[in-house]
Amino acid sequence: MSIKLANRPTAVRVGALIAACGAVGMFAATAAHAEVVGSMEVTPATGSDASGMSLTTSKACPEQATNLIVSVKGAGFPAEGQNVVSNSPLSTYTTTAGGGIVVPLTQTMRDYANTAGFTTLQGRYDFTLTCRTAFNGTSLGDFTAPIWFTSNTAYRDTDPNGPSTPPSSSTPTQTASPSDTASPTDTASPTDTASPTDTASPTDSVSPTDTALPTDTALPTETAIPGGGSQGISTDVSGGASGGGKGSLAATGADAAALGATAAALVAAGTFVVRRARRRALLDFTDNAGH
């Protein structure tokens, strides 16, 4: 910007100079308020004033950025911060799988404090990585990471006055609903009682066997005559029809063989009748018993 101050009153020239300086200051202030595009992680998370440290961004710089610069602010350092990494090409540094930039610091916090001219490290210190171009210091995006010195020689990456872990934003899980109690199983159906077996039908009583038929009585033997041998009965009949002195059974009309046959026939007939009567009685008894 050119300001023509020739041939103008002194007051006018002074006013123009003040306005020009104000404009430059406004541009500087605009550049100072850069947008924070991500966070950084300090490694190691806890250490001492003499520990070697590195910074890792959560993602890559914006596409138009080609360079970076890193500064630190806090007690003892200048208000605008002190550079700990000078203007460097992004290609100098390794990256993570997610595109984050890994920037190792070449000196310790004790070295940076000595450069700034103080000896006591205390409280919170903030590192800022600024994405930029090689010849334009305007920030294209910033990454920040804080650390806290709990003593002059020890630091940590969490606030000692705050919770050790951030409160979880997840909603509490609901307690498990009690599961339905198991439905009682049906009691076992009683098995049918065993049907009483049919009582054994009484067997038919043993049919009475036919009583033994009386055996034919033995024909009487000739009786012995006392005093001597056997005495036969004479079959001779005296005075038969022929007028002779001795007769026979044939003479009287009685044939012994015919009589014997007749007697045997009568005995057989009687036996048959008796047996038939008994058989009939047995059949009647069986029929009655069956009913």
Side-chain angles (χ1 to χ4, degrees):
M1 174 173 29
S2 63
I3 303 176
K4 296 180 180 181
L5 301 178
N7 301 320
R8 290 178 181 260
T10 302
V12 175
R13 285 182 292 178
V14 171
L17 182 60
I18 292 173
C21 291
V24 172
M26 183 174 61
F27 289 136
T30 302
H33 294 284
E35 179 184 5
V36 176
V37 294
S39 62
M40 280 194 306
E41 180 181 88
V42 178
T43 304
T46 60
S48 72
D49 60 333
S51 298
M53 305 166 67
S54 66
L55 307 173
T56 304
T57 63
S58 58
K59 61 181 181 178
C61 280
E63 291 183 1
Q64 59 269 40
T66 60
N67 286 49
L68 63 79
I69 190 171
V70 179
S71 63
V72 62
K73 293 181 180 180
F77 292 110
E80 68 276 10
Q82 176 174 303
N83 284 349
V84 293
V85 176
S86 61
N87 184 14
S88 306
L90 294 175
S91 58
T92 305
Y93 305 100
T94 60
T95 58
T96 65
I101 308 165
V102 180
V103 180
L105 301 183
T106 58
Q107 292 182 305
T108 66
M109 284 295 290
R110 178 56 58 192
D111 295 330
Y112 300 136
N114 291 336
T115 300
F118 67 97
T119 59
T120 303
L121 291 164
Q122 58 184 343
R124 175 171 173 164
Y125 293 90
D126 291 281
F127 291 98
T128 300
L129 185 150
T130 299
C131 300
R132 49 169 291 175
T133 62
F135 303 104
N136 188 338
T138 303
S139 175
L140 300 175
D142 289 350
F143 296 89
T144 61
I147 61 171
W148 286 263
F149 269 84
T150 55
S151 71
N152 186 34
T153 58
Y155 78 87
R156 55 189 289 183
D157 66 352
T158 56
D159 187 353
N161 298 320
S164 56
T165 56
S168 175
S169 60
S170 60
T171 56
T173 57
Q174 295 180 348
T175 56
S177 302
S179 57
D180 295 335
T181 56
S183 301
T185 55
D186 295 335
T187 56
S189 301
T191 56
D192 296 335
T193 55
S195 301
T197 56
D198 296 334
T199 55
S201 300
T203 57
D204 296 334
S205 58
V206 178
S207 301
T209 57
D210 295 335
T211 54
L213 297 176
T215 57
D216 296 334
T217 56
L219 296 175
T221 58
E222 294 178 346
T223 56
I225 303 295
S230 62
Q231 180 64 43
I233 296 175
S234 174
T235 58
D236 292 337
V237 179
S238 61
S242 62
K246 291 181 180 181
S248 64
L249 288 176
T252 62
D255 190 337
L259 291 175
T262 302
L266 291 175
V267 170
T271 301
F272 174 77
V273 170
V274 170
R275 286 185 176 181
R276 183 171 183 145
R278 287 180 177 179
R279 177 71 63 180
R280 174 65 63 181
L282 177 60
L283 291 176
D284 293 338
F285 175 80
T286 303
D287 291 341
N288 291 332
H291 294 293

